[in-house]
Amino acid sequence: MAPKSRETFGSRMGMLLAMAGSAIGLGNIWRFPYTLGQNGGAAFLLLYVLMLVLICLPVMISEYLLGRRGGSNPFRTFDILAPGTKWRWIGFMAVLSSACILSFYCVVGGWSVKYLADACSGVLMSFDGDYSDLFGSFISNPWKPLFYTLVFLGITGLIIALGVRKGIERMSKLMIKVLFLIIVLVVIRSLTLPGAMEGVRYMFVPDFSKVTADTCIAAMGQAFFSLSIGCGCILTYASYVDKKENIAASSAWIAFFDTTFAIVAGLAIIPAVYAIALMNGVNPNVSAGPGLVFITLPGVFKAMPLGGVAALLFFLALLLAAITSAISLMEVVVAFIIEELRRSRVHAVVTCFLLCGGVGVFCSLSFGPLEGFKLFGLSVFDFFDYITSNIMLPAGGLLLAVFAGWRLKRANYLDELTNSGNLNIPRWLSLTIYYLLKLVAPLAISLIFINCILS
Ligand code: PFF
């Protein structure tokens, strides 16, 4: 049995900031700018926004709705809503997806701890050689990145051990505010560099020749990853939410906040990369892949006035964003262990630390001693990144939408969405959301999958 009294968020603001904290993370600052760079800039952005409205928002609303109605961890939620059926295994898959994401997420989290430490000590800005050598020798070292990965996971575990209100809510509230302030400062610095407007143009003028089946799956994967949907995070947080919350409005607010942040993070990075490249008379390289933030940016910071301060602020922002997301991933696994395996919170945190840290070790070593070891042609790190974002999250989202649209009765869906009729949501709007999640989202996700398999 689940414990009788579960913790809840203390305030509406705390809940919104915790969910936004989950959504805003490495996905926005580290993954979004380079995925945008690799997929044709503004054309990708347009596709991304389209996926967001037609697929991700309805899926997010269903995940939120199911979490609040079930009031438990993902596994039990499906058991409560469809007792004795196999649907509970979707819940289990969600828990597994979260654990898999956390396992590679903590490696990049560890890199941000290291870069922040180097920015603070001045090592980063006083480095004279090629930043790709610095990054390469760090991530291929067998021990150093492991140490930082475990430090990052340890910080995440400590916050989770404090509980929903004292840990997740309090930390998210504080960190998100600081994060916004910092990123605005870095954007101002970036946009005031001569030549920065070239980068802005790149972000907002579409090049449709770059759009392929892979671009679609990349945009969908990025949108799922960025919104933290499809793996039980929103569902778990929603189980700590007051019954009076307006689900549709909160979801829309979080999606808007997250997308705005991704664009703002792009504006902090891409124009600066353009400006410095123009200054040095070289081609701007915004499609540098995962190294964009760790290789290209330090060079950019070094070349610009006040770059040391900008670097410090930037890597602090990166770390804060990573922590608020990592805690939401860990909470999914921890809630499952507490409620299904009946362990204490601390016990659950330690188990999760060992489990995800263990897999994280392999992800980290895949840049060094295990470089030659491939799973389906991908390194361990890339394998976890690819299958979680591009397959497990959209598949989880598809099943969640199918459950909410086809298994949950329409009357129950409307009852939950309108808080038993207490919310004045126009009927056309609740029905539009309903049909988006019942028909459009599952169909669109399936088509994108099929298109990618066939291409
Ligand atoms: N949304 C987070 C980011 O953008 O970094 C990553 C993430 C967190 C994905 C939680 C999935 C999740 F459940």
Side-chain angles (χ1 to χ4, degrees):
M1 282 292 290
K4 280 199 186 66
S5 64
R6 297 178 92 239
E7 266 197 275
T8 52
F9 285 117
S11 66
R12 178 181 149 81
M13 198 52 170
M15 177 281 291
L16 282 177
L17 289 181
M19 286 202 186
S22 166
I24 296 171
L26 294 173
N28 305 60
I29 310 182
W30 164 70
R31 209 170 183 279
F32 181 80
Y34 82 76
T35 314
L36 184 92
Q38 284 172 337
N39 290 284
F44 176 83
L45 192 59
L46 269 178
L47 214 65
Y48 179 86
V49 172
L50 196 74
M51 305 266 180
L52 194 84
V53 175
L54 290 184
I55 303 178
C56 295
L57 204 48
V59 169
M60 188 173 194
I61 292 175
S62 15
E63 190 168 336
Y64 197 143
L65 194 132
L66 297 175
R68 197 180 67 173
R69 199 162 181 88
S72 191
N73 67 77
F75 185 73
R76 183 166 298 251
T77 290
F78 285 96
D79 215 21
I80 292 171
L81 299 178
T85 63
K86 296 213 164 44
W87 283 101
R88 59 158 78 160
W89 294 105
I90 305 179
F92 185 74
M93 191 182 113
V95 177
L96 195 70
S97 305
S98 288
C100 289
I101 298 177
L102 186 56
S103 304
F104 78 86
Y105 205 82
C106 62
V107 175
V108 188
W111 298 347
S112 34
V113 176
K114 153 85 174 150
Y115 269 66
L116 176 62
D118 283 358
C120 284
S121 66
V123 171
L124 197 62
M125 288 300 103
S126 57
F127 179 73
D128 238 357
D130 189 337
Y131 279 103
S132 62
D133 293 340
L134 185 73
F135 183 61
S137 72
F138 166 61
I139 61 170
S140 59
N141 183 297
W143 301 110
K144 278 193 201 154
L146 289 189
F147 168 75
Y148 288 104
T149 298
L150 296 181
V151 168
F152 177 81
L153 211 51
I155 300 174
T156 308
L158 280 179
I159 298 175
I160 290 295
L162 290 172
V164 176
R165 278 195 198 185
K166 285 208 198 111
I168 301 175
E169 183 171 348
R170 208 173 49 174
M171 292 301 167
S172 303
K173 262 171 143 171
L174 178 74
M175 288 184 185
I176 283 288
K177 286 177 194 156
V178 178
L179 179 63
F180 249 79
L181 191 73
I182 295 178
I183 211 77
V184 168
L185 290 178
V186 182
V187 170
I188 294 174
R189 175 64 291 210
S190 165
L191 290 182
T192 46
L193 291 169
M197 283 310 132
E198 277 304 307
V200 176
R201 199 162 305 128
Y202 174 80
M203 277 183 72
F204 295 109
V205 179
D207 172 6
F208 288 105
S209 67
K210 294 250 173 71
V211 176
T212 62
D214 282 343
T215 320
C216 295
I217 202 139
M220 180 170 75
Q222 175 61 28
F224 270 85
F225 186 83
S226 191
L227 283 184
S228 305
I229 52 176
C231 64
C233 260
I234 297 295
L235 189 151
T236 305
Y237 273 12
S239 72
Y240 305 130
V241 162
D242 201 290
K243 289 280 177 208
K244 292 200 286 288
E245 261 330 297
N246 182 336
I247 294 179
S250 301
S251 303
W253 191 88
I254 294 160
F256 172 76
F257 205 41
D258 182 63
T259 308
T260 309
F261 195 90
I263 295 173
V264 171
L267 282 175
I269 297 173
I270 293 176
V273 172
Y274 264 82
I276 302 299
L278 287 180
M279 203 168 81
N280 296 333
V282 293
N283 270 337
N285 183 9
V286 283
S287 52
L292 178 63
V293 158
F294 297 100
I295 298 171
T296 316
L297 268 194
V300 169
F301 287 136
K302 193 176 163 98
M304 71 193 201
L306 282 179
V309 182
L312 198 147
L313 290 178
F314 178 83
F315 287 108
L316 178 62
L318 191 66
L319 179 61
L320 294 181
I323 291 177
T324 52
S325 298
I327 55 179
S328 70
L329 287 163
M330 192 180 268
E331 181 63 18
V332 178
V333 187
V334 164
F336 171 78
I337 297 177
I338 295 176
E339 291 171 2
E340 300 310 314
L341 308 180
R342 288 188 244 156
R343 297 285 183 266
S344 68
R345 183 165 271 276
V346 173
H347 188 127
V349 167
V350 173
T351 311
C352 187
F353 177 90
L354 293 176
L355 203 80
C356 297
V359 181
V361 166
F362 288 96
C363 291
S364 176
L365 291 178
S366 71
F367 292 99
L370 292 184
E371 204 180 353
F373 178 74
K374 302 280 178 216
L375 291 167
F376 299 97
L378 296 171
S379 72
V380 182
F381 181 96
D382 288 341
F383 175 77
F384 274 94
D385 184 3
Y386 188 88
I387 58 153
T388 52
S389 314
N390 292 357
I391 299 173
M392 289 171 94
L393 295 186
L398 172 71
L399 293 170
L400 279 163
V402 167
F403 184 87
W406 298 87
R407 170 77 212 211
L408 200 71
K409 292 200 178 67
R410 192 167 103 171
N412 288 344
Y413 157 85
L414 289 174
D415 176 67
E416 196 62 40
L417 193 77
T418 59
N419 296 353
S420 308
N422 288 326
L423 279 180
N424 218 352
I425 301 182
R427 196 161 165 80
W428 66 264
L429 184 59
S430 28
L431 285 180
T432 306
I433 301 173
Y434 182 66
Y435 285 107
L436 278 176
L437 75 88
K438 186 179 174 106
L439 300 171
V440 178
L443 208 71
I445 299 173
S446 311
L447 281 179
I448 295 173
F449 271 148
I450 294 170
N451 188 20
C452 193
I453 292 167
L454 295 182
S455 68

